[in-house]
Amino acid sequence: MTKTIGEIAKLAGVAKSTVSRYLNGGSVSAKTKLKIETVITETGYVPNTFARSLKAKKTNIIGTIVPRLNSFATAQTLIGIDEELKDSEYQLLISNTSQDLNREIDSIYSLANQKVAGLILLATKVTERHLDALNKVNIPVILVGQQSEECYSLIHDDEHAGFEIGKYVIGQGHSNIVYLGVSEEDIAVGVKRKKGFKRATYDAKCAVHFAETDFDLKEAMKKFDYLYETYKPTIIVCATDNIALGILKAAQLKGLKVPDDLSITGFGGYDITEITHPSITTVQYYYKEAGLTAAKNIIKLINNEEIHKLTMSKTELVIRESVDKIR
Amino acid sequence: MTKTIGEIAKLAGVAKSTVSRYLNGGSVSAKTKLKIETVITETGYVPNTFARSLKAKKTNIIGTIVPRLNSFATAQTLIGIDEELKDSEYQLLISNTSQDLNREIDSIYSLANQKVAGLILLATKVTERHLDALNKVNIPVILVGQQSEECYSLIHDDEHAGFEIGKYVIGQGHSNIVYLGVSEEDIAVGVKRKKGFKRATYDAKCAVHFAETDFDLKEAMKKFDYLYETYKPTIIVCATDNIALGILKAAQLKGLKVPDDLSITGFGGYDITEITHPSITTVQYYYKEAGLTAAKNIIKLINNEEIHKLTMSKTELVIRESVDKIR
DNA sequence: CTGAAAGCGCTTACAG
DNA sequence: CTGAAAGCGCTTACAG
């Protein structure tokens, strides 16, 4: 059924090597080119990827390692990568790790073993083991979401995002604030967003109470009562939209009116924050665009073109209904 | 750097074919087995996938074609598949089509060309072209979400789901109902859910107005005003949670209180329906479990084991806050 | 520009 | 149980 390069060669009356050269853009005369072209379209010939990869010792696959499949940020980033890659000669291979660090490391080696042309790593944390693995496999890599001195990285401007939220919250007159962040192990979400927020609120005469939770919505809900009762804040600034969603739900379950009784903000710009009632004031992250850029960059790296060590994706404050003006 | 089977053979003092046999579970004596084992662990040898696939003319890849990446249903199904496959000898390859029918067909051929061992197709529609392609490529296939006589299928019990919602809505005393469905081109969502709902409401003395929208949340929002003004329903039964989310938002924007002024239901059991205020009464679909089962089934097919032509995934009514009791 | 030959790293009958 | 040999479908120097 499926043809080989040898059969194509025979049908076209040329040598295998000539067909191969035609396929790979080598020098072929106009008329042999035509002959081969005809045969190929007639037969619907498609080269065998394995044979090709075996010889060439590389593939046209871009491996993308993601921590989870069911996240807005992941999905959008993947969509961006996919969009950029689908019309290129590269193919996207997605490897999910379910937030298991070991699987993440394993995936690096396993994808390298499959001779992927490049690697995009949607990172939540960059450990020594990551760096070590990336070093060993020695293929082009782009980190997305976290930054490392030793890698090409694409990050969102978390600190700026935090700063914008901080400025806005102060501007709305809030002076008793809970900042509900996440562990500082996560540099982007845990450290930088908070840092930007601190910088914006530092000079203002306001109390900011810092608390921590994880990325889980339900966990945030559980934390709500304690935070609200302890600090009686007029606003809870949440380090992710997901956390904000949890706080919103918990507040509403308690019978509070948002934003009249309590204001809430998030980070990320997940679609759903526009749909809740009230809609949530947040900072828009451009995940899809980041994916596009990451894909473009990895292709450049593969082609030995220069790219910046660090690419910054912008963020933008989106003012909606969940923040009250305090007078 | 990376070793070949030949080097392993030399180090172990045996022939390549013996190493190969060891690798593939052929008969090898205990002591040669030990020798080879030692060398392999010492060297960290990993067989070259391409060489293997080239010879064997097949891979251990399960291709999964998805219509979109940013959907709760897709994500959950993929998580299920991934979970089942990650500890097996098979690898998951995800191919996104962005709801482009042509890309869907292309993906079938392209994955077949890559000699995937099996194919899982998260289908929204099954056309002649699909069947044709599936037929031609002649590899094990499982359809998920839609059913076809000519394929192994795994579907959710849409009709039952529709029936349950219908029974519940009637039981709550609603008699002026809008059923907001989708195009009948989609058998599962457009036809079966409605059919079940009709069956449940047929005998009741109530008015059901059938309307249609697409899968887009914003589109549903746009439809709201007309539906509400025209029919003055006490409830809008939406064919997906996404549509329900749109209707909920539109109703709230109009200043209606849900469920006091208007009740709303969905289908799917998306996480977010639990978080909205009010939470949405819906039918829980078990996407992740469906993914697990699909993966198990495709492996059985690959191994020439028997499976049922049709597997039904159950659905379950989840009563929450968005439906009022009418007296 | 074109072709013959070697080789990529594995597996698979076939002998022994 | 074990090994030598052929071959999977391609690409890549090397001659011409």
Side-chain angles (χ1 to χ4, degrees):
Chain A
M1 187 60 244
T2 133
K3 304 265 183 250
T4 73
I5 199 173
E7 303 178 74
I8 301 302
K10 194 170 296 172
L11 287 171
V14 298
K16 287 195 302 179
S17 33
T18 306
V19 178
S20 175
R21 234 175 282 117
Y22 164 83
L23 254 19
N24 295 292
S27 46
V28 183
S29 76
K31 71 168 183 288
T32 38
K33 192 175 284 186
L34 190 66
K35 280 193 294 187
I36 297 173
E37 221 153 39
T38 313
V39 175
I40 285 182
T41 51
E42 268 173 8
T43 55
Y45 167 71
V46 187
N48 179 310
T49 333
F50 306 116
R52 198 170 240 188
S53 303
L54 177 58
K55 252 328 255 190
K57 289 177 180 298
K58 59 172 182 153
T59 64
N60 62 340
I61 296 172
I62 307 282
T64 300
I65 300 176
V66 304
R68 44 194 295 193
L69 254 11
N70 55 345
S71 128
F72 179 78
T74 300
Q76 293 302 117
T77 310
L78 284 176
I79 287 170
I81 297 173
D82 182 60
E83 198 155 294
E84 180 64 30
L85 255 31
K86 73 161 190 271
D87 295 320
S88 77
E89 58 184 312
Y90 293 99
Q91 205 205 344
L92 172 60
L93 196 167
I94 300 165
S95 180
N96 173 43
T97 63
S98 301
Q99 309 188 74
D100 176 338
L101 195 72
N102 289 325
R103 263 189 95 184
E104 209 161 297
I105 306 290
D106 286 350
S107 289
I108 294 174
Y109 287 115
S110 146
L111 289 173
N113 184 247
Q114 286 176 70
K115 309 282 185 290
V116 296
L119 207 55
I120 298 175
L121 181 56
L122 304 203
T124 54
K125 204 187 291 193
V126 183
T127 67
E128 276 306 314
R129 288 177 65 207
H130 285 84
L131 263 17
D132 199 42
L134 293 177
N135 237 354
K136 270 192 197 134
V137 301
N138 193 32
I139 48 181
V141 177
I142 288 181
L143 241 47
V144 175
Q146 302 279 349
Q147 179 180 2
S148 161
E149 288 301 315
E150 311 179 34
C151 295
Y152 291 96
S153 319
L154 186 158
I155 61 173
H156 303 277
D157 200 346
D158 289 291
E159 191 173 336
H160 176 73
F163 184 77
E164 289 281 296
I165 281 278
K167 232 176 42 188
Y168 175 69
V169 164
I170 295 296
Q172 291 298 99
H174 291 271
S175 59
N176 186 19
I177 301 168
V178 165
Y179 181 95
L180 183 51
V182 303
S183 158
E184 297 206 344
E185 280 191 20
D186 187 320
I187 305 297
V189 184
V191 176
K192 292 207 182 155
R193 292 182 189 178
K194 186 163 67 183
K195 188 171 168 198
F197 185 82
K198 273 184 178 165
R199 186 155 54 79
T201 53
Y202 189 73
D203 286 336
K205 41 197 170 324
C206 66
V208 183
H209 312 283
F210 291 94
E212 244 178 53
T213 183
D214 60 24
F215 287 86
D216 186 56
L217 191 154
K218 298 235 163 106
E219 194 54 38
M221 286 180 68
K222 283 188 204 148
K223 295 258 161 62
F224 174 75
D225 254 11
Y226 170 79
L227 294 172
Y228 188 71
E229 297 303 339
T230 309
Y231 303 113
K232 300 285 181 196
T234 58
I235 187 166
I236 300 183
V237 174
C238 306
T240 77
D241 281 345
N242 217 32
I243 296 172
L245 247 19
I247 293 298
L248 174 62
K249 178 68 180 178
Q252 291 179 145
L253 280 180
K254 208 181 166 70
L256 297 179
K257 230 174 135 21
V258 177
D260 308 48
D261 301 329
L262 176 71
S263 296
I264 294 172
T265 66
F267 281 84
Y270 293 9
D271 277 358
I272 190 66
T273 57
E274 202 179 338
I275 303 309
T276 52
H277 192 73
S279 57
I280 299 175
T281 290
T282 183
V283 186
Q284 186 69 51
Y285 278 51
Y286 295 94
Y287 296 109
K288 185 172 156 189
E289 287 74 5
L292 282 167
T293 306
K296 276 187 190 137
N297 281 350
I298 196 75
I299 292 178
K300 283 187 190 159
L301 281 183
I302 292 169
N303 296 330
N304 287 314
E305 294 172 41
E306 297 258 323
I307 68 167
H308 294 294
K309 200 82 192 176
L310 180 67
T311 307
M312 188 74 88
S313 178
K314 71 164 195 247
T315 63
E316 204 166 349
L317 184 67
V318 182
I319 296 168
R320 292 207 274 243
E321 304 164 350
S322 65
V323 177
D324 204 17
K325 174 123 190 139
I326 308 278
R327 29 198 109 243
Chain B
M1 186 61 245
T2 133
K3 305 265 182 247
T4 73
I5 198 172
E7 304 177 73
I8 300 302
K10 193 171 296 173
L11 288 171
V14 297
K16 287 195 302 181
S17 34
T18 306
V19 179
S20 176
R21 236 176 280 115
Y22 165 83
L23 255 17
N24 295 292
S27 46
V28 183
S29 76
K31 71 167 185 289
T32 37
K33 191 175 285 187
L34 189 65
K35 280 193 295 188
I36 298 174
E37 220 154 39
T38 314
V39 175
I40 285 183
T41 51
E42 268 174 8
T43 55
Y45 167 72
V46 187
N48 180 309
T49 333
F50 306 115
R52 197 168 241 190
S53 303
L54 177 58
K55 249 332 253 189
K57 289 178 179 299
K58 60 172 182 153
T59 64
N60 61 342
I61 296 172
I62 307 282
T64 300
I65 301 177
V66 304
R68 45 194 295 193
L69 254 10
N70 54 345
S71 126
F72 178 79
T74 300
Q76 294 302 118
T77 311
L78 284 176
I79 287 170
I81 297 172
D82 183 60
E83 198 155 294
E84 180 64 29
L85 255 32
K86 74 161 190 271
D87 296 319
S88 77
E89 58 184 312
Y90 293 98
Q91 204 205 345
L92 172 59
L93 196 167
I94 301 165
S95 180
N96 173 43
T97 62
S98 302
Q99 309 188 74
D100 177 337
L101 196 72
N102 289 324
R103 263 189 95 182
E104 209 160 297
I105 306 291
D106 286 351
S107 289
I108 295 174
Y109 287 116
S110 147
L111 289 173
N113 184 247
Q114 285 175 70
K115 309 282 187 290
V116 295
L119 207 55
I120 298 175
L121 180 56
L122 304 203
T124 54
K125 204 187 291 192
V126 184
T127 67
E128 276 306 315
R129 288 177 66 205
H130 285 84
L131 264 16
D132 199 43
L134 260 17
N135 237 354
K136 270 193 196 130
V137 301
N138 193 32
I139 47 182
V141 176
I142 288 181
L143 242 47
V144 175
Q146 303 279 348
Q147 179 180 3
S148 162
E149 289 300 316
E150 310 178 35
C151 296
Y152 292 95
S153 319
L154 186 158
I155 60 173
H156 302 277
D157 200 346
D158 290 291
E159 193 175 335
H160 176 72
F163 184 77
E164 289 282 296
I165 280 278
K167 233 176 42 188
Y168 176 69
V169 165
I170 294 296
Q172 292 299 98
H174 291 271
S175 59
N176 186 18
I177 302 169
V178 165
Y179 182 95
L180 183 51
V182 303
S183 158
E184 298 208 342
E185 280 190 22
D186 187 320
I187 305 297
V189 184
V191 175
K192 291 207 184 156
R193 293 183 189 177
K194 186 163 65 182
K195 188 172 167 198
F197 185 81
K198 274 185 177 164
R199 187 155 54 79
T201 53
Y202 189 73
D203 286 335
K205 39 197 172 326
C206 67
V208 183
H209 312 283
F210 291 94
E212 244 178 53
T213 184
D214 60 23
F215 288 88
D216 187 55
L217 191 153
K218 298 237 162 104
E219 193 54 38
M221 286 180 68
K222 283 189 206 149
K223 293 260 163 58
F224 175 75
D225 254 11
Y226 170 80
L227 293 172
Y228 188 72
E229 296 304 339
T230 308
Y231 302 114
K232 299 285 182 197
T234 57
I235 185 166
I236 300 183
V237 174
C238 306
T240 77
D241 281 345
N242 217 32
I243 296 172
L245 248 19
I247 292 298
L248 174 61
K249 178 68 180 177
Q252 291 180 145
L253 280 179
K254 207 181 166 73
L256 297 179
K257 231 174 137 14
V258 177
D260 309 48
D261 301 329
L262 175 72
S263 296
I264 295 172
T265 67
F267 281 84
Y270 293 9
D271 278 358
I272 189 66
T273 56
E274 202 178 338
I275 304 309
T276 51
H277 193 73
S279 56
I280 299 174
T281 291
T282 184
V283 185
Q284 186 69 51
Y285 278 51
Y286 295 93
Y287 296 109
K288 184 171 157 189
E289 288 74 7
L292 281 167
T293 306
K296 278 186 190 140
N297 281 350
I298 196 74
I299 292 178
K300 284 187 190 159
L301 280 184
I302 292 169
N303 296 330
N304 287 314
E305 295 172 40
E306 297 258 323
I307 68 167
H308 294 295
K309 201 81 191 177
L310 179 67
T311 307
M312 187 74 87
S313 178
K314 70 165 196 250
T315 63
E316 204 166 349
L317 183 67
V318 182
I319 296 168
R320 291 207 274 243
E321 303 164 350
S322 65
V323 177
D324 204 16
K325 175 122 189 142
I326 308 277
R327 31 197 109 241

